[in-house]
Amino acid sequence: MSKQVVVVIGAGGMGEQIARRQGAGKHLILADFNEEMLASKAAALQIDGFEVTTHTVDVSSRESVKALAEAAAAAGPVVEVVDTAGLSPTQAPIGAILNVDLLGVAIVLEEFATVIADGGAGVVIASMAGQTYPGLTPEQEFALATTDTDALLDLPFVAEGIADPGAAYGLSKRANQLRVKYASIAWGQRGGRVNSVSPGIISTPMGQQELEGPSGVYMKAMIEGSGTKRIGTPADIANTVSFLLSSEASFITGIDVLVDGGVIASVTTNPPAFLTQGA
């Protein structure tokens, strides 16, 4: 019998932690756009006893994601899929963020809905930025959830209404949360489940880059004002992902789980001065 297959898209800080948490005793397929990093992470996992296959993928390309899904299904029953791929506002311009963080997630949800095994589950890594993205009408949210994937970037408020990379990131992450709701129906038709996890400020290379960027002072203030008063770790996210993928979460699908150490709770009930002053 073929081993069960776990697919982790994005080999960075959270992706590697999740791969180590979920991949033992299974056939782990690790996918990323960065071939050099992908090879390095896979080699480290293999040294530690994991059975790993690598696959280069561009999540913004349907053909590329479809090839990954087909390769995963050919390797065995696809029981877990985790999409951690994403670009932050300090890493990329508006167009790249929309292609990877918004369109890419929609494509992954659609293509893996056709190969997920009965009883399998998926998780998309969204962001707390999606929890407070401002100004969307109910009609716009419905459009983000249900519009045909190939037409998502043509929605007027997506194509013409994004002012800066931060807004592109927030909109994309809100779309992830909404898209998972809609995708849960298609996944359920194969006996699968799918949810999203919205991390707060996490100590990954991407997170540290954001802390050192223009918004770093605000992020540090949000951490200090939160209930936990600490930055999150990749393990904090992997723990939540592991639960959502497990049989203990068999009645949970189509939802978003916020894992932010209390930042959103704080800024929405006791906002820092820079927010109340309109900074």
Side-chain angles (χ1 to χ4, degrees):
M1 271 184 83
S2 300
K3 282 187 178 179
Q4 293 180 326
V5 174
V6 173
V7 181
V8 177
I9 304 171
M14 277 187 271
E16 181 183 12
Q17 186 78 31
I18 292 165
R20 289 183 176 277
R21 180 69 180 263
Q22 301 304 125
K26 297 182 174 69
H27 183 166
L28 176 62
I29 296 181
L30 191 63
D32 202 286
F33 184 75
N34 186 325
E35 295 183 15
E36 183 178 351
M37 181 177 69
L38 184 59
S40 173
K41 299 289 188 180
L45 285 161
Q46 288 166 344
I47 289 171
D48 289 340
F50 292 87
E51 179 184 324
V52 187
T53 299
T54 61
H55 197 108
T56 305
V57 67
D58 174 2
V59 294
S60 68
S61 162
R62 181 177 293 279
E63 292 74 16
S64 183
V65 176
K66 185 178 181 66
L68 172 61
E70 290 175 346
V78 181
V79 296
E80 296 177 5
V81 181
V82 184
D83 183 4
T84 77
L87 296 170
S88 75
T90 62
Q91 291 180 313
I94 292 171
I97 291 172
L98 292 175
N99 271 290
V100 172
D101 294 19
L102 195 164
L103 177 63
V105 166
I107 292 172
V108 167
L109 286 169
E110 197 164 275
E111 292 299 328
F112 277 92
T114 69
V115 301
I116 192 68
D118 187 10
V123 173
V124 168
I125 300 300
S127 169
M128 71 174 185
Q131 291 274 347
T132 56
Y133 185 78
L136 291 174
T137 66
E139 293 76 17
Q140 288 172 329
E141 292 213 333
F142 185 78
L144 284 174
T146 63
T147 295
D148 181 77
T149 296
D150 295 330
L152 261 177
L153 298 187
D154 295 325
L155 289 169
F157 63 94
V158 175
E160 303 165 10
I162 308 299
D164 55 64
Y169 183 79
L171 175 70
S172 297
K173 295 306 181 177
R174 182 58 184 149
N176 296 167
Q177 296 159 357
L178 296 166
R179 206 78 187 175
V180 157
K181 291 183 180 183
Y182 185 59
S184 67
I185 307 304
W187 282 58
Q189 289 171 353
R190 291 183 57 91
R193 299 179 297 105
V194 64
N195 296 288
S196 61
V197 170
S198 286
I201 303 164
I202 307 297
S203 187
T204 61
M206 180 188 292
Q208 291 294 340
Q209 187 173 346
E210 290 296 316
L211 281 169
E212 294 165 6
S215 61
V217 63
Y218 306 130
M219 294 169 69
K220 291 170 185 174
M222 288 190 289
I223 293 171
E224 183 57 31
S226 71
T228 59
K229 298 187 184 299
R230 71 170 176 90
I231 194 169
T233 70
D236 290 319
I237 304 307
N239 290 340
T240 305
V241 169
S242 184
F243 167 69
L244 289 173
L245 294 173
S246 76
S247 60
E248 293 179 349
S250 63
F251 200 51
I252 301 175
T253 193
I255 68 158
D256 181 69
V257 179
L258 178 64
V259 186
D260 71 340
V263 165
I264 296 297
S266 174
V267 299
T268 55
T269 61
N270 185 31
F274 68 81
L275 287 180
T276 59
Q277 293 168 0

